[in-house]
Amino acid sequence: MGQTLLGNDQVAKKLNQIRTLMELAGEPFYKFMAYERAASAIENAGPLKELIAADELVKLPGIGKSIAATIMELCERGQCGLLEELSQRFPPTIFEVLGVSGIGIKTAGTLFEQFGIASLADLEHAVESGMLAGLPRMGKKSVENIKRGILAYKGRQNRTPLGAALRIARDVLAYLKDGPPTDRLTYAGSLRRAEVTVGDIDIVCTSDQAAAVIDYFVRWKRAQAVLAEGPTKASIWLEGGLQIDLRVLPDAVYGNLLQHFTGSREHNIQLREYAVRKGLRVSENGILELETGRSITCRTEEEVYAAIDMQYIPPELRSGIGEIDVARARSLPALIERDDIRGDFHMHSTWSDGRDTLETMIASAAALGYEYHSISEHSWGRGPKYGMNPEQVRAQRAKVHEYGEKLSIRTLCSSEVDILPDGSMDYSDSVLAEFDIVIGSIHSALNQTRDELTKRLIRACENPYVNIIGHPTGRYDTFNGYEFDYDAVFAAAARTGTALEIDGQEGRLDLPAPLARRAKEFGVTFTTDSDAHAAAQLANLDLAVSQARRAGLTKEQVLNTRTFDEVKMFVERKRRRTA
Ligand code: DGT
Ligand code: CA
Ligand code: CA
Ligand code: ZN
């Protein structure tokens, strides 16, 4: 075979499209799930080009001859017969409809087959005309859900996920550091506030050579177009339409500049209103004392907040939802910091669906300076390819300890055990009891009713051996997560001594910060985990910490800031209490 047109991620994306369209077309479960499994295998495999060259595609989990042929076709032509055929039946805009939360694949299928609803515009029209509400089995609540889903979908359009935006921001900062001299240089805006998605990337910088910096910035090789270019600011567009704004000002106002462009808009408006009552006018150029006409410039953000007579507010808390009052009363929590983290409870190796070997994962965790960590593979219900049976669990345990000792990192033997549809666990209690710590996660039957899901999660909390509920809402990219009675589950978690995870995997960030903030009110303990499926993804724990900060969590509320012995005590306490 000659060149490959598509890489792993693109092929996986197309396989997932096939999967969705097959389900839409009414194909049986086992058939379309085969493509989902194949997509996941490709995402986690080495470069396709090499696999194909070595004729090793069929060695991947869940990939037989026919799917392998589809994958090779995709690589070679960038397209395949199967997807072309399916695309004839469904227009590409059907994915807009599928992206609206509140609409499952079944509903989308019915809406398309019977009413020709094939795009977001069609769907909006059906809602507005009242046609949707007139359909059988379409209650008021479902219509409301779909309405909200449409709004959320539109809001998400053209926004970039936090993890991806951070990588681009680091690249552009590195590029700028190599250019004309700058004093201070960082990112601001929603990215610095660690919002789950960002509209654009805002870079602020101080330099006495603004013109040269701007000129260098717009010449970045990844800029597809220059949107604006002035003496102190410029905007560029990258491939795919992501915008980067740059502002350059003198170093004396760096604090004012950074504070202004970190936002949020709501936070800044409220801050200014409060400042005006104190006789101060706040802007990106400084703080003006209205009575004297004196201008206060701030080299740091801390000075800005001090000048307005309030406690420093960390960027992650600047949402304009009451933080200004709390800062005036000097009662902000001391937020958890990345340096407080002593370990990571959630990661996978090649023993389940991870991409790197057990030894690599443990060595990489040790290299991050962690005191402890746990490898938490999937339980056997995930199927023989990804899930481990109890014998494999025991075999792995010996290896984990062996590598751990060699690398002087404490190891907790763990598992990410499926919470079955009835709330029981995918291993028996006696197998669960052998683990040092257990994560319980929902991966199947996501379409249960709210009531069933609530009971399911509460029952998992009540299991004496379940210590952490993994990615509790199941949110993933544009899927908003399954619905359950949040308060009831949070209360159960607090009552039973079960921690709730803030999963840092890029698509997840689950619990979402607003729900974590709510759970905190119930006295819940949290974990911040990477859920890494490759060594490089261990860094995703940073994203989890950023979301914990947005939720206003302190280190005391997060289990993996505690020592190894304290973690053991947390586990023991629950076993004694509920066993
Ligand atoms: P995004 O980009 O939609 O994810 O959200 P932000 O918050 O990054 O918004 P962006 O990029 O428009 O502006 C960055 C910050 O700069 C924003 O949070 C507040 C400040 N800012 C920018 N333009 C204005 C403005 O015209 N008025 C006010 N009050 N603040 C502004
Ligand atoms: Ca922005
Ligand atoms: Ca901007
Ligand atoms: Zn999981």
Side-chain angles (χ1 to χ4, degrees):
M1 191 179 101
Q3 72 195 106
T4 44
L5 276 175
L6 302 186
N8 290 46
D9 288 353
Q10 292 157 306
V11 168
K13 204 170 157 190
K14 293 226 183 278
L15 291 173
N16 274 320
Q17 285 176 358
I18 293 176
R19 177 245 182 269
T20 304
L21 294 178
M22 280 178 112
E23 185 176 359
L24 210 51
E27 297 281 359
F29 182 78
Y30 76 91
K31 254 187 154 168
F32 60 74
M33 279 310 286
Y35 285 87
E36 181 175 324
R37 274 194 291 273
S40 158
I42 295 297
E43 274 171 12
N44 293 311
L48 272 176
K49 202 173 167 173
E50 291 168 22
L51 286 170
I52 291 173
D55 203 16
E56 285 187 337
L57 267 185
V58 287
K59 288 195 184 161
L60 294 178
I63 295 188
K65 276 211 179 99
S66 123
I67 294 189
T70 302
I71 293 170
M72 296 213 280
E73 198 186 344
L74 282 170
C75 281
E76 236 165 308
R77 302 204 284 129
Q79 188 48 278
C80 69
L82 180 56
L83 187 54
E84 282 167 334
E85 218 177 280
L86 286 162
S87 304
Q88 299 240 313
R89 296 183 55 182
F90 304 99
T93 47
I94 198 79
F95 284 101
E96 297 175 356
V97 180
L98 287 163
V100 172
S101 91
I103 296 206
I105 296 188
K106 278 215 178 69
T107 311
T110 312
L111 290 177
F112 176 72
E113 298 291 351
Q114 299 185 15
F115 308 97
I117 295 173
S119 66
L120 190 70
D122 291 347
L123 183 65
E124 275 190 283
H125 178 74
V127 171
E128 277 158 26
S129 67
M131 192 272 260
L132 202 65
L135 299 184
R137 280 182 294 120
M138 187 61 76
K140 241 196 191 133
K141 227 179 137 186
S142 320
V143 176
E144 280 310 310
N145 261 340
I146 291 172
K147 266 190 192 167
R148 247 182 289 133
I150 292 173
L151 284 179
Y153 181 87
K154 286 174 141 180
R156 269 194 314 269
Q157 285 312 88
N158 302 321
R159 292 187 70 83
T160 304
L162 178 63
L166 271 172
R167 275 194 297 276
I168 296 167
R170 288 190 190 116
D171 287 350
V172 73
L173 288 178
Y175 170 73
L176 287 171
K177 282 212 174 87
D178 283 341
T182 53
D183 299 308
R184 282 179 288 179
L185 181 61
T186 188
Y187 54 83
S190 50
L191 189 62
R192 184 161 179 250
R193 304 196 308 276
E195 301 274 345
V196 173
T197 62
V198 307
D200 68 2
I201 295 176
D202 303 282
I203 306 285
V204 298
C205 146
T206 60
S207 168
D208 41 21
Q209 297 184 32
V213 173
I214 300 269
D215 180 58
Y216 176 77
F217 170 66
V218 299
R219 283 187 287 113
W220 193 28
K221 64 176 189 304
R222 283 172 64 182
Q224 297 275 310
V226 179
L227 289 175
E229 187 178 356
T232 61
K233 57 182 180 185
S235 298
I236 57 174
W237 255 359
L238 308 188
E239 193 190 349
L242 179 64
Q243 183 175 332
I244 307 185
D245 292 343
L246 171 73
R247 267 92 176 176
V248 192
L249 283 179
D251 200 52
V253 295
Y254 179 74
N256 306 97
L257 175 70
L258 181 59
Q259 196 287 322
H260 176 82
F261 286 109
T262 296
S264 66
R265 217 168 288 266
E266 295 73 23
H267 173 84
N268 284 356
I269 290 170
Q270 292 168 20
L271 187 83
R272 272 174 227 162
E273 278 172 5
Y274 174 66
V276 164
R277 279 187 265 145
K278 301 202 95 128
L280 301 167
R281 184 184 296 151
V282 177
S283 81
E284 68 262 48
N285 299 305
I287 302 175
L288 184 68
E289 255 181 9
L290 293 169
E291 207 178 280
T292 60
R294 190 172 71 102
S295 180
I296 310 164
T297 54
C298 304
R299 284 181 180 275
T300 67
E301 272 192 323
E302 282 77 3
E303 293 172 44
V304 175
Y305 287 92
I308 318 170
D309 193 25
M310 64 175 72
Q311 194 180 357
Y312 173 75
I313 304 178
E316 296 90 340
L317 294 181
R318 299 182 198 167
S319 311
I321 53 170
E323 69 276 6
I324 300 225
D325 287 337
V326 184
R328 281 166 56 189
R330 299 186 190 274
S331 321
L332 288 174
L335 299 186
I336 178 177
E337 295 187 20
R338 175 58 184 79
D339 285 350
D340 296 328
I341 299 296
R342 291 172 185 266
D344 186 344
F345 295 125
H346 192 165
M347 66 189 77
H348 302 263
S349 78
T350 47
W351 283 61
S352 64
D353 58 353
R355 207 181 305 172
D356 283 318
T357 62
L358 184 64
E359 195 167 11
T360 302
M361 292 307 288
I362 299 176
S364 307
L368 285 171
Y370 291 148
E371 179 182 328
Y372 55 82
H373 78 110
S374 60
I375 298 268
S376 49
E377 314 283 18
H378 289 292
S379 56
W380 58 359
R382 303 251 72 201
K385 297 286 187 193
Y386 295 147
M388 303 219 305
N389 65 38
E391 283 71 50
Q392 290 170 307
V393 166
R394 285 174 199 127
Q396 191 190 42
R397 179 168 308 138
K399 290 271 176 217
V400 167
H401 285 316
E402 183 192 321
Y403 294 141
E405 260 160 47
K406 238 175 13 198
L407 292 154
S408 72
I409 180 168
R410 316 281 300 259
T411 51
L412 288 148
C413 285
S414 177
S415 176
E416 182 181 17
V417 184
D418 271 27
I419 304 172
L420 302 177
D422 67 353
S424 65
M425 302 303 293
D426 194 23
Y427 288 132
S428 68
D429 277 3
S430 66
V431 173
L432 292 178
E434 293 177 28
F435 291 107
D436 296 317
I437 190 163
V438 170
I439 303 172
S441 297
I442 288 184
H443 292 113
S444 62
L446 308 185
N447 56 355
Q448 283 183 322
T449 64
R450 176 185 155 98
D451 197 42
E452 284 167 336
L453 280 158
T454 306
K455 290 203 177 104
R456 183 176 178 186
L457 284 163
I458 291 176
R459 190 166 164 208
C461 288
E462 283 167 350
N463 184 306
Y465 300 106
V466 175
N467 307 107
I468 301 166
I469 302 292
H471 43 76
T473 74
R475 86 166 279 277
Y476 202 93
D477 285 341
T478 55
F479 172 60
N480 282 343
Y482 38 81
E483 262 192 60
F484 54 91
D485 182 340
Y486 300 124
D487 283 3
V489 171
F490 296 163
R495 172 169 52 82
T496 57
T498 313
L500 297 181
E501 180 178 61
I502 298 178
D503 185 308
Q505 203 185 117
E506 281 191 20
R508 291 198 183 275
L509 304 185
D510 179 15
L511 281 177
L515 285 181
R517 196 180 304 122
R518 176 83 190 165
K520 181 179 66 162
E521 304 298 320
F522 289 81
V524 164
T525 300
F526 300 85
T527 68
T528 49
D529 296 323
S530 69
D531 196 357
H533 285 67
Q537 295 171 6
L538 287 168
N540 285 345
L541 198 140
D542 297 8
L543 296 180
V545 172
S546 72
Q547 300 312 299
R549 288 172 61 84
R550 287 181 62 223
L553 302 187
T554 64
K555 77 183 242 198
E556 288 73 25
Q557 290 162 323
V558 177
L559 187 62
N560 49 318
T561 67
R562 300 185 195 164
T563 64
F564 181 83
D565 291 335
E566 286 168 337
V567 170
K568 291 283 240 186
M569 266 162 51
F570 179 85
V571 172
E572 282 313 312
R573 211 176 305 133
K574 178 170 183 184
R575 289 189 183 181
R576 258 185 304 184
R577 186 153 40 149
T578 46

